[in-house]
C-alpha cells in the first residue's frame, strides 16, 4: 500500500476560475504562476488551500534541500529571531562569523561575502574581478567571459553575464565588457581567454538551460587557461552547490578548484541568503566602501544555514544524494527507453536531473498534467526539458512514488498524442 495520501484528482475546470488567489489582483504579473495556492509544506510535500497534497520535485527551485518545515531549521530561526534579527555589517555578530568560518573550512576558500540572493552573489564576484584588475593596474583587463546557455541572474551585471537573449530583451543597453563562449568547447575557450579577461564565470551544471553538466575536461582547461592568462575562475554554484550533485560543493565533484564560488538557493533552506567565497589571493581587491549589503549575512538566515549544515552532516546527505539520484536517473532512463519519440536520455548529476522532451511534445504540457491529474509538481527548464530538483532528503519510497505518478502522466500524454499548434 502506498505511504502517500490519496485524493480525488483536481478538476481542471477549477483552475480556470479567476480572482480566487490571495493577492492575485495586486501581485505583479511577472510570473507565470500555476493556478493553485500553497499554504503549507511538510517534508517533500506541499499542501494547497483545498487540502490537496503534492509531491514536490521543485523544492522552491532547488532551495529546500532539507524539505519543507524541517523542525531543526524552524527551531534555529525561532531561537535566533528571539535574540537578534538585524545589526547591520557595521558590527560583528556570531551567526555570520560562524557561518563564514564553516564555509571557509569546508571549501578552502578563505574569505566570504554575504548577500541575499544568487544574482547578488554573482554581482559581487563580477565586481571583485574588475576591482582586482584595477588594484593591479591592469587597465586593459576588464572583460567578463561566460558560456552560451548560461544563467547568472537578473540584476544588470549578472544579466549581462547571462548569454540567453530571452532574459535581456527590452532591458538593453546592458553594461559592456561581457563576452560569451560555447559551453564545453575547449578550443573556443582557448581563443576566448586572453589578457583582457578579468574572470571566466561558469556553472558546473547549467540549470536554466535544461540541466547540462560541464565536461570535467572543460573545467580543467578553464583552470589551466585562467592561470596562464591571469584571469579569475568563478564557479556559479547557485543551483548546483550545497550538496545537490552529491558533494557539498560541485567543484569537488569535478576536481577543479576555482578562485571564487557563488552560493545561494539552498544555503539557508528557504531563507534569502547569498554567499561569495573568495580565495585569499583575490580577497584583498574589495576594501571598505567598495561593496556592501544592508541585509547580507543577517543573523536569522545565517542561523538557518548553520542548522542546515548540522542536519546535512548528521544525515550524511552526500552519499544519500548519490544513491537516490541514481535511482531517479534509472527511472527517467526507463521512460526514455519506453517512449523514445517523446524523451531523449536523461542528463545531470545527483539530484539535479533533466529529462529532455522531444518536439512536438511539450514539457509544459507534461508539467501541467502531472500537477492537475497526479499531484506531482515538476518544472520545465531550457527549451523543452523536465527539471528534477527535489529536496535532498527525499526517500526511496518517495522516488518510487514520483516515478509511478510520472509514468501515469506520460502514458496519458502519449495516448492523447502531442498537442498540435495552429
Amino acid at each position: 500500500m502506498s505511504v502517500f495520501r490519496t485524493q480525488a484528482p483536481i478538476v481542471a475546470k477549477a483552475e480556470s476560475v479567476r480572482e480566487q488567489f490571495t493577492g492575485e489582483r495586486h501581485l505583479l504579473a511577472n510570473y507565470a504562476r500555476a493556478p493553485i495556492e500553497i499554504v503549507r509544506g511538510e517534508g517533500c510535500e506541499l499542501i494547497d488551500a483545498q487540502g490537496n497534497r503534492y509531491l514536490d520535485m521543485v523544492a522552491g527551485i532547488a532551495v529546500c534541500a532539507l524539505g519543507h518545515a524541517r523542525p531543526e531549521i524552524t527551531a534555529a530561526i525561532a531561537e535566533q529571531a528571539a535574540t537578534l534579527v538585524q545589526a547591520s555589517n557595521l558590527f560583528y555578530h556570531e551567526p555570520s562569523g560562524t557561518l563564514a568560518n564553516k564555509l571557509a573550512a569546508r571549501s578552502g576558500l578563505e574569505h566570504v561575502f554575504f548577500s541575499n540572493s544568487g544574482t547578488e552573489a554573482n554581482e559581487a564576484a563580477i565586481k571583485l574581478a574588475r576591482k582586482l584588475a584595477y588594484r593591479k593596474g591592469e587597465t586593459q583587463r576588464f572583460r567578463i567571459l561566460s558560456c552560451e546557455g548560461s544563467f547568472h541572474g537578473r540584476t544588470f551585471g549578472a544579466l549581462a553575464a547571462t548569454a540567453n537573449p530571452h532574459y535581456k530583451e527590452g532591458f538593453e543597453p546592458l553594461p559592456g565588457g561581457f563576452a560569451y563562449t560555447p559551453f564545453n568547447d575547449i578550443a573556443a575557450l582557448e581563443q576566448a581567454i586572453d589578457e583582457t579577461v578579468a574572470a571566466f564565470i561558469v556553472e558546473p551544471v547549467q540549470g536554466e538551460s535544461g540541466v547540462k553538466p560541464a565536461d570535467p575536461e572543460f573545467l580543467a582547461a578553464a583552470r589551466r587557461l585562467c592561470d596562464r592568462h591571469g584571469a579569475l575562475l568563478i564557479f556559479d554554484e547557485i543551483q548546483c552547490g550545497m550538496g545537490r550533485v552529491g558533494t557539498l560543493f560541485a567543484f569537488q565533484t569535478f576536481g577543479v578548484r576555482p578562485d571564487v564560488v557563488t552560493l545561494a538557493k539552498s544555503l539557508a533552506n528557504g531563507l534569502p541568503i547569498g554567499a561569495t567565497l573568495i580565495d585569499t589571493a583575490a580577497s584583498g581587491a574589495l576594501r571598505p566602501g567598495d561593496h556592501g549589503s544592508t541585509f547580507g549575512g543577517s543573523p536569522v538566515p545565517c542561523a538557518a544555514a548553520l542548522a542546515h549544515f548540522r542536519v546535512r552532516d548528521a544525515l550524511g546527505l552526500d552519499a544519500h544524494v548519490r544513491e537516490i539520484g541514481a535511482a531517479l536517473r534509472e527511472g527517467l532512463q526507463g521512460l526514455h527507453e519506453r517512449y523514445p519519440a517523446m524523451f531523449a536520455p536523461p542528463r545531470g548529476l545527483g539530484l539535479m536531473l533533466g529529462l529532455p522532451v522531444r518536439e512536438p511534445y511539450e514539457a509544459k504540457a507534461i508539467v501541467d498534467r502531472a500537477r492537475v491529474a497526479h499531484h506531482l509538481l515538476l518544472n520545465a527548464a531550457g527549451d523543452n526539458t523536465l527539471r528534477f530538483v527535489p529536496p535532498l532528503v527525499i526517500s526511496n519510497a518517495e522516488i518510487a512514488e514520483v516515478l509511478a505518478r510520472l509514468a501515469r502522466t506520460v502514458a496519458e500524454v502519449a495516448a492523447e498524442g502531442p498537442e498540435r499548434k495552429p
Side-chain angles (χ1 to χ4, degrees):
M1 180 178 293
S2 171
V3 298
F4 301 95
R5 296 173 176 84
T6 58
Q7 58 282 308
I10 301 174
V11 179
K13 183 178 179 181
E15 294 201 345
S16 67
V17 178
R18 307 302 296 158
E19 303 291 337
Q20 63 176 321
F21 305 113
T22 304
E24 184 180 7
R25 291 179 60 190
H26 300 291
L27 285 167
L28 189 66
N30 61 317
Y31 297 105
R33 292 181 172 91
I36 58 175
E37 184 166 340
I38 300 300
V39 297
R40 194 168 76 256
E42 295 177 6
C44 295
E45 290 186 311
L46 289 174
I47 301 97
D48 71 12
Q50 284 70 48
N52 297 301
R53 305 179 75 94
Y54 301 82
L55 260 176
D56 182 16
M57 296 298 285
V58 181
I61 314 181
V63 167
C64 297
L66 301 181
H68 303 283
R70 182 80 190 192
E72 297 93 332
I73 300 291
T74 303
I77 292 170
E79 182 179 354
Q80 186 59 54
T83 305
L84 179 67
V85 171
Q86 170 69 344
S88 85
N89 286 301
L90 298 175
F91 314 100
Y92 291 98
H93 57 77
E94 183 273 330
S96 69
T98 302
L99 181 57
N101 292 345
K102 178 77 69 177
L103 289 167
R106 294 296 185 90
S107 69
L109 300 170
E110 289 295 318
H111 298 273
V112 181
F113 170 79
F114 287 118
S115 53
N116 312 283
S117 65
T119 192
E120 291 174 72
N122 284 334
E123 290 280 351
I126 291 167
K127 290 180 73 175
L128 171 80
R130 289 266 180 92
K131 198 72 169 188
L132 180 62
Y134 170 83
R135 297 283 185 205
K136 292 180 176 180
E138 298 176 333
T139 56
Q140 86 290 351
R141 189 185 296 279
F142 60 87
R143 290 200 305 143
I144 305 297
L145 183 67
S146 60
C147 285
E148 294 174 1
S150 64
F151 181 83
H152 297 294
R154 297 181 187 270
T155 51
F156 262 37
L159 186 58
T162 295
N164 191 332
H166 166 73
Y167 296 107
K168 302 178 182 182
E169 184 178 355
F171 298 115
E172 296 93 347
L174 293 172
F178 290 80
Y180 316 102
T181 189
F183 190 53
N184 280 334
D185 187 330
I186 295 175
L189 188 63
E190 290 174 339
Q191 295 298 314
I193 296 184
D194 58 22
E195 276 66 27
T196 69
V197 173
F200 175 47
I201 181 169
V202 60
E203 300 159 273
V205 183
Q206 290 188 341
E208 296 305 310
S209 68
V211 190
K212 298 176 181 178
D215 296 332
E217 297 80 8
F218 179 71
L219 296 182
R223 175 72 278 170
R224 183 177 66 254
L225 291 166
C226 285
D227 288 342
R228 179 186 303 168
H229 295 285
L232 291 183
L233 178 59
I234 302 169
F235 279 8
D236 177 344
E237 297 198 14
I238 304 301
Q239 189 168 150
C240 64
M242 287 303 297
R244 179 136 309 264
V245 300
T247 52
L248 178 58
F249 300 105
F251 76 80
Q252 295 167 329
T253 292
F254 289 90
V256 177
R257 186 180 187 275
D259 303 298
V260 179
V261 170
T262 57
L263 302 171
K265 285 194 178 287
S266 64
L267 179 55
N269 203 65
L271 270 65
I273 191 172
T276 307
L277 284 52
I278 308 164
D279 184 70
T280 299
S283 62
L286 293 179
R287 301 172 186 172
D290 283 341
H291 193 55
S293 170
T294 296
F295 295 107
S298 288
V300 176
C302 287
L306 288 167
H308 181 181
F309 269 104
R310 290 193 294 270
V311 173
R312 76 176 316 279
D313 289 349
L315 294 176
L317 265 191
D318 291 340
H320 175 78
V321 166
R322 293 191 291 269
E323 176 187 344
I324 293 291
L328 176 58
R329 189 185 187 108
E330 182 180 354
L332 298 180
Q333 176 67 24
L335 284 175
H336 155 64
E337 292 173 358
R338 185 173 180 181
Y339 302 97
M342 189 183 301
F343 300 115
R347 60 192 178 214
L349 296 168
L351 283 173
M352 185 175 178
L353 297 175
L355 185 61
V357 180
R358 299 189 194 273
E359 294 183 352
Y361 293 97
E362 295 185 355
K364 184 180 183 304
I366 297 172
V367 168
D368 290 343
R369 169 74 65 131
R371 183 188 71 252
V372 173
H374 300 289
H375 292 180
L376 175 64
L377 299 182
L378 304 173
N379 172 243
D383 292 334
N384 203 26
T385 299
L386 296 175
R387 175 169 52 180
F388 299 82
V389 284
L392 303 186
V393 294
I394 193 167
S395 68
N396 277 301
E398 287 166 324
I399 287 292
E401 182 69 15
V402 165
L403 290 170
R405 296 186 194 189
L406 182 58
R408 292 195 293 271
T409 301
V410 171
E412 292 166 5
V413 171
E416 293 178 2
E419 293 184 10
R420 301 296 176 181
K421 295 182 179 179

